[in-house]
Amino acid sequence: MAYTSSGQMEQTTKQPTSEVPKLADVAAAAGVSTATVSRCLNTPDRVTKKTLKIVMDAVDRLGYSPNYSARALAAGRTNTFGAIIPTMENAIFARGIQAFQEELQENGCTLLVASSSYREDLEEEQIRTLTVRGADALLLIGYQRDRRVYEFLEKRKIPAVMTWVSDPEKNLLSVGFNNRKAMKLLADLVLEKGHTSIGCISAETAPNDRARDRVHGIRDAMQAAGLDPAALMVEETQYSIENGDIAFRKLMSGPVRPTAVMCGNDVLAVGALRAASALNMRIPQDVSITGFDDIELASVAPVPLTTVHVPHRRMGQFAAKALMAALNGEEPDSVELPTNICIRDTLGAAPR
Amino acid sequence: MAYTSSGQMEQTTKQPTSEVPKLADVAAAAGVSTATVSRCLNTPDRVTKKTLKIVMDAVDRLGYSPNYSARALAAGRTNTFGAIIPTMENAIFARGIQAFQEELQENGCTLLVASSSYREDLEEEQIRTLTVRGADALLLIGYQRDRRVYEFLEKRKIPAVMTWVSDPEKNLLSVGFNNRKAMKLLADLVLEKGHTSIGCISAETAPNDRARDRVHGIRDAMQAAGLDPAALMVEETQYSIENGDIAFRKLMSGPVRPTAVMCGNDVLAVGALRAASALNMRIPQDVSITGFDDIELASVAPVPLTTVHVPHRRMGQFAAKALMAALNGEEPDSVELPTNICIRDTLGAAPR
DNA sequence: TTGAAAAATGTAAGCGCTTACATTTTTGCT
DNA sequence: AGCAAAAATGTAAGCGCTTACATTTTTCAA
């Protein structure tokens, strides 16, 4: 009777199994100790095939499933990961996070997602919340945050991976891509088409290092092509179709009309597309427009969008793998994924 | 020394506070028992103002935050809610779930979201997973699922709220709206405009009671208007812009061309819109198109969409409130929210 | 066959918190 | 001032699991 879960004697009137079975019940049913049951569940190779079978049969028979809180408390790990993304409102992060989640799930881990609304202070708060909630590790977007945050994570020994960015210079684990280089490559292509008057619709660069890098990339290309990088006309706004529309109109009503408008992401580009067609501008004959990300929206836009394809799914998967490795005491390497340009119908030769 | 967390004597070399402080440390620092600290945190009104202050000061000073696993284990509640939605890929559920989450967060609760890909079997699996993970309560979409699932929840005493639907006949807690009635109202309007040949692009109705109800609503209106409900031309497909496009073309290439196409949601409607303009049909002169949901997409579509507005945010909030009430042993009432028709530019008089 | 090393299993001490119950303090009367 | 009831606080027993360590069983070379 050593392992029955309740101290009371067996009643003559048997309980109708309304109670959820616990580890000790399985142990009793299988005639082994709780430690053995625990091993069968967590480290099956430390147990005889025979006992494994007996125990697993008991598990099935009782319909046992472990209490995660108890497990977390005893083991000191929650198997819960956190991700803090700037927004859930549009699809920018959806695919990558989805892949991240799937990869975790396959390994028995859970994901908690929070959003920061592109605000550093809120991000910090969310990081603390998720940590307190017991997240074993975190996925973050970009590098830009107070050093205090990094110190906090360091102190708590919580592995974190930065995503959507890549900078080998930084001594931080990252799984992402080089925004600046990716955008430069697309800009090179735009310049090759003969455009000299370039506009750019970007997310707000102050709180967003990815956006900043992308704008930088355009300037790099201009410089390389012998143009004045300062001539780039930049409109900053928040990511939304509506805002892309507005920003495009602003660019078009300025003193110098750009012949190509490079957008910081596909959502803005679709807004620009809409504005252009509302202004009776033909694409790409009158104006070229490019995006970034290659989300579904890009391919179903009124005119399919020339954009930069980002391997979101692979990024999510690798990020998960890296964090799980870090939790196992390994020292995973950062990975920089290649992006590639996705040529569709919105980029053409400069007019005239 | 009764409440220090470590049994060892104070070392001469003080630890650099690397260890995360625990309840007992706070108790020791405040000079009270662990019970009192716990009460300060959970039921502050059961404690003197004075001790509350002392304890909270200690909490701040030590930077204490409770271990949620331990709390969950001891209290038998996790303060975690689960939501299982058919898909995260488009924005249909985003707003409602976001509001649900915000409401929970305000009350110190966490949300775990999983998706079922519109498959009953996967939904059941996710329900079990979330339950095992310790979800105290669940938000589900629609009514349609095996009775076994309801029994399971009943047995485990896990409150669940059905959302995006409302049927007072069902003896289940729900916070939602009447899909059939909502769609009928819109269909009434379409019929008033003189349309007699109606098409419908719907989600697959087999696994989706909301979609089924909406189609039903159109038929109700036709019947009421003296038309043959069986004459409704229905195309079923999965929710995506692309599929809406394809379905629209199918409808238009059938033996009878509908003059109005009512879509099961806004995403499909935007696809239909795109197809129409690709086919050089003017909206609404040549063909009327309607949506359902009123997500952002609807108002930024090439032609702003006439659609049914669903109060997603309020639905999410009420759902959260209902579940929290249920967990407190109350018996919350189901709530049916009103929808309303959002008239924009895609519905016009029947041609000729 | 024997015995030491390796493998399997068992024992029991927590993990950090909540809460029933016991005890002490305060309150509000008379 | 004195007393019973109410309020505040303290005591300590778990919540269900993992795991260090102890014990038993198996393996395998001599």
Side-chain angles (χ1 to χ4, degrees), chain A residues 213-227:
Chain A
D213 284 351
R214 291 175 197 176
V215 175
H216 245 306
I218 303 177
R219 295 217 165 95
D220 289 348
M222 292 173 78
Q223 180 113 49
L227 297 176

Side-chain angles (χ1 to χ4, degrees), chain A residues 3 33 35-36 39 48 51 74:
Chain A
Y3 306 118
S33 73
T36 299
R39 285 187 197 105
T48 323
T51 48

Side-chain angles (χ1 to χ4, degrees), chain B residues 38-294:
Chain B
S38 179
R39 283 191 279 258
C40 287
L41 264 26
N42 300 307
T43 51
D45 35 281
R46 291 182 130 40
V47 138
T48 321
K49 275 225 157 184
K50 206 181 72 187
T51 48
L52 183 61
K53 175 158 180 9
I54 296 176
V55 168
M56 292 322 255
D57 283 353
V59 165
D60 287 346
R61 185 147 31 86
L62 299 185
Y64 169 78
S65 50
N67 176 318
Y68 277 69
S69 301
R71 173 177 283 191
L73 179 57
R77 285 177 293 97
T78 59
N79 283 343
T80 296
F81 288 57
I84 293 143
I85 61 181
T87 176
M88 307 195 191
E89 299 253 321
N90 56 48
I92 306 176
F93 300 105
R95 280 247 295 291
I97 296 297
Q98 175 94 20
F100 182 66
Q101 155 139 280
E102 284 168 14
E103 187 70 30
L104 292 180
Q105 199 146 299
E106 266 174 35
N107 290 276
C109 298
T110 306
L111 176 63
L112 247 36
V113 183
S115 76
S116 68
S117 307
Y118 284 102
R119 281 175 47 188
E120 247 187 88
D121 56 335
L122 278 187
E123 193 206 34
E124 186 172 342
E125 195 182 313
Q126 300 281 22
I127 288 174
R128 288 186 198 279
T129 304
L130 284 180
T131 306
V132 162
R133 280 266 169 205
D136 286 337
L138 294 180
L139 176 149
L140 303 174
I141 311 286
Y143 289 117
Q144 185 173 339
R145 54 187 60 81
D146 202 292
R147 77 174 309 110
R148 186 166 16 114
V149 175
Y150 290 116
E151 288 164 2
F152 172 78
L153 294 172
E154 182 95 16
K155 183 174 158 194
R156 291 254 183 161
K157 303 226 190 316
I158 298 183
V161 59
M162 317 303 140
T163 55
W164 265 263
V165 286
S166 176
D167 181 352
E169 305 253 310
K170 306 249 185 202
N171 193 19
L172 292 164
L173 176 61
S174 71
V175 172
F177 54 94
N178 187 322
N179 286 278
R180 186 165 172 175
K181 204 169 69 185
M183 191 59 130
K184 171 170 186 300
L185 256 38
L186 181 58
D188 284 343
L189 203 62
V190 169
L191 296 176
E192 266 174 38
K193 294 281 186 179
H195 295 274
T196 52
S197 172
I198 315 284
C200 169
I201 304 177
S202 170
E204 288 166 342
T205 53
N208 185 331
D209 50 2
R210 287 88 61 211
R212 212 157 47 226
D213 283 352
R214 291 176 196 175
V215 175
H216 245 306
I218 304 176
R219 293 219 165 94
D220 289 347
M222 292 174 78
Q223 181 114 51
L227 296 176
D228 176 12
L232 181 66
M233 294 163 265
V234 180
E235 277 296 327
E236 293 195 7
T237 182
Q238 292 185 357
Y239 284 146
S240 86
I241 296 180
E242 187 62 32
N243 286 338
D245 184 317
I246 296 170
F248 184 86
R249 289 167 196 266
K250 265 197 204 152
L251 282 176
M252 286 307 150
S253 59
V256 185
R257 271 198 171 197
T259 59
V261 174
M262 302 189 66
C263 301
N265 83 2
D266 289 345
V267 176
L268 290 174
V270 167
L273 233 45
R274 195 183 65 175
S277 90
L279 295 173
N280 286 315
M281 303 179 77
R282 291 164 308 159
I283 296 164
Q285 295 90 333
D286 298 331
V287 63
S288 288
I289 291 177
T290 65
F292 200 107
D293 274 344
D294 194 24

Side-chain angles (χ1 to χ4, degrees), chain A residues 185-301:
Chain A
L185 256 37
L186 181 57
D188 284 343
L189 204 61
V190 169
L191 296 176
E192 266 174 37
K193 295 281 187 180
H195 295 274
T196 52
S197 172
I198 315 285
C200 170
I201 304 177
S202 170
E204 287 166 345
T205 53
N208 183 333
D209 50 2
R210 286 89 60 211
R212 211 157 48 226
D213 284 351
R214 291 175 197 176
V215 175
H216 245 306
I218 303 177
R219 295 217 165 95
D220 289 348
M222 292 173 78
Q223 180 113 49
L227 297 176
D228 176 13
L232 180 66
M233 294 163 265
V234 181
E235 277 297 328
E236 293 195 8
T237 181
Q238 291 185 359
Y239 285 147
S240 86
I241 295 178
E242 189 62 30
N243 285 339
D245 183 317
I246 296 169
F248 184 86
R249 289 168 196 266
K250 265 197 206 154
L251 282 176
M252 288 305 151
S253 59
V256 186
R257 270 201 172 195
T259 59
V261 174
M262 301 189 66
C263 301
N265 84 2
D266 290 345
V267 175
L268 290 174
V270 167
L273 234 45
R274 196 183 65 176
S277 91
L279 295 172
N280 285 316
M281 303 179 77
R282 290 165 308 159
I283 296 165
Q285 295 90 333
D286 299 331
V287 63
S288 288
I289 292 176
T290 65
F292 200 109
D293 274 345
D294 193 25
I295 59 180
E296 193 209 4
L297 201 57
S299 56
V300 302

Side-chain angles (χ1 to χ4, degrees), chain A residues 117-134:
Chain A
S117 307
Y118 285 102
R119 282 176 46 189
E120 246 187 270
D121 56 335
L122 278 187
E123 194 207 35
E124 186 172 342
E125 193 182 314
Q126 300 281 20
I127 288 174
R128 289 184 198 279
T129 304
L130 284 180
T131 305
V132 161
R133 280 267 171 204

